[in-house]
Amino acid sequence: MPLVKAPKKLEPMWKEWDAKAQKAGLRHSVYSVNGDEYTGEWLNNLRHGKGTYMCKIRKSIYEGDWKCGKRSGFGTYSVLDTNTEEYIKVYSGHWDNDKKHGYGTHFYSAKEYYEGEWKCGKRCGWGRMYFGNGDIYEGEWLEDKQSGQGMLCLANENRYEGSWKDGKKHGLGKFYYLDKGQLYEGAWIEDIPKCGTMVDFGRTEAPYPTKYPLPEVKVADPGGVLKEEQEYLLGEQE
């Protein structure tokens, strides 16, 4: 009896095309309908691994790690300077779920940048901020604002060391007026000194000392008076 072969079952053409369209592994540049371009690694049709993404509308480039279609790991984000036609680095550091997360440096301008910790796209944890006017803040951050313990060094070398809340001096802290040779130590409420002591500090070496030294004020229990008033003021803010 002759052997009869069954005819080979043909798959629909769309299945073959769909299989070829599934991206995995290293690929050459892939262009989107909106003009964006990606060159790098894929997994299950998603950007995954090392890759470079160019966004046409934002005129930006991201070079770094990807995970399941989102920026995750270490990467650098740059934007095009329309004057020089060159790409300027905006952020270099760690990412998670398409947001700055972990340690990284963000450049706001040529003279102003932040280096430190991020959480969900916001400055959070420890970090150092260099301001365009020459001021430098180093300390704790929360929700993109100075919060916790930190030190602000002004361009004129005066400095504040102490507590912060919502981007303002708040709580106990010291302000060194090195230009005048004075030191304030006490409680602050929303950037305003409320209760503390002001004493001469390096007055003889100060470039612009006050005309007269501060007089000594004698109180029976200065420490107790200050402590009681500071606790009252700060307690009202809780």
Side-chain angles (χ1 to χ4, degrees), residues 160-195:
Y160 169 80
E161 300 175 4
S163 298
W164 295 76
K165 183 179 180 181
D166 294 331
K168 297 180 180 180
K169 295 181 278 294
H170 191 93
L172 298 178
K174 299 178 181 179
F175 199 105
Y176 295 84
Y177 297 91
L178 299 181
D179 57 341
K180 299 179 180 179
Q182 294 179 333
L183 165 64
Y184 169 82
E185 182 176 2
W188 295 72
I189 304 295
E190 296 184 350
D191 258 352
I192 300 175
K194 288 289 187 177
C195 178

Side-chain angles (χ1 to χ4, degrees), residues 170 187 189 228-238:
H170 191 93
I189 304 295
E228 182 179 350
E229 183 63 19
Q230 289 173 356
E231 288 178 349
Y232 172 75
L233 282 171
L234 297 176
E236 281 193 326
Q237 301 299 313
E238 295 296 332

Side-chain angles (χ1 to χ4, degrees), residues 109 111-112 129-136 152-156:
S109 67
K111 296 183 179 180
E112 189 165 291
M129 180 73 194
Y130 295 85
F131 295 94
N133 62 0
D135 296 349
I136 302 174
L152 176 66
C153 296
L154 302 180
N156 63 2

Side-chain angles (χ1 to χ4, degrees), residues 96-114:
D96 184 56
N97 198 30
D98 242 6
K99 295 181 179 180
K100 297 185 283 286
H101 192 92
Y103 191 90
T105 303
H106 186 107
F107 299 90
Y108 297 92
S109 67
K111 296 183 179 180
E112 189 165 291
Y113 64 96
Y114 167 86

Side-chain angles (χ1 to χ4, degrees), residues 26-235:
L26 182 62
R27 288 234 174 180
H28 294 294
S29 298
V30 176
Y31 297 88
S32 302
V33 177
N34 60 5
D36 294 353
E37 177 186 347
Y38 174 78
T39 304
E41 298 176 301
W42 297 79
L43 180 66
N44 296 329
N45 218 31
L46 295 173
R47 293 183 287 271
H48 191 94
K50 301 286 184 182
T52 301
Y53 186 88
M54 299 182 66
C55 181
K56 184 178 179 180
I57 296 178
R58 297 181 180 178
K59 297 181 179 180
S60 63
I61 293 180
Y62 170 81
E63 299 175 281
D65 298 325
W66 296 81
K67 184 178 180 181
C68 299
K70 296 183 179 181
R71 293 169 291 187
S72 291
F74 185 86
T76 300
Y77 178 79
S78 306
V79 296
L80 182 68
D81 186 338
T82 55
N83 295 321
T84 63
E85 292 299 320
E86 295 181 351
Y87 282 93
I88 300 175
K89 186 187 296 183
V90 175
Y91 175 79
S92 180
H94 287 84
W95 300 73
D96 184 56
N97 198 30
D98 242 6
K99 295 181 179 180
K100 297 185 283 286
H101 192 92
Y103 191 90
T105 303
H106 186 107
F107 299 90
Y108 297 92
S109 67
K111 296 183 179 180
E112 189 165 291
Y113 64 96
Y114 167 86
E115 56 182 8
E117 296 176 308
W118 297 78
K119 185 177 181 180
C120 298
K122 296 181 180 180
R123 292 168 289 187
C124 187
W126 178 92
R128 185 187 294 115
M129 180 73 194
Y130 295 85
F131 295 94
N133 62 0
D135 296 349
I136 302 174
Y137 171 83
E138 182 174 358
E140 296 177 297
W141 295 76
L142 181 65
E143 292 291 322
D144 232 18
K145 296 179 180 179
Q146 298 101 315
S147 290
Q149 293 296 309
M151 177 175 66
L152 176 66
C153 296
L154 302 180
N156 63 2
E157 297 187 352
N158 289 348
R159 72 176 185 271
Y160 169 80
E161 300 175 4
S163 298
W164 295 76
K165 183 179 180 181
D166 294 331
K168 297 180 180 180
K169 295 181 278 294
H170 191 93
L172 298 178
K174 299 178 181 179
F175 199 105
Y176 295 84
Y177 297 91
L178 299 181
D179 57 341
K180 299 179 180 179
Q182 294 179 333
L183 165 64
Y184 169 82
E185 182 176 2
W188 295 72
I189 304 295
E190 296 184 350
D191 258 352
I192 300 175
K194 288 289 187 177
C195 178
T197 58
M198 179 75 83
V199 297
D200 288 323
F201 181 84
R203 185 171 176 275
T204 55
E205 295 83 17
Y208 307 105
T210 54
K211 188 174 182 179
Y212 301 105
L214 291 171
E216 183 181 359
V217 179
K218 294 184 179 181
V219 182
D221 183 16
V225 173
L226 272 175
K227 183 178 180 181
E228 182 179 350
E229 183 63 19
Q230 289 173 356
E231 288 178 349
Y232 172 75
L233 282 171
L234 297 176

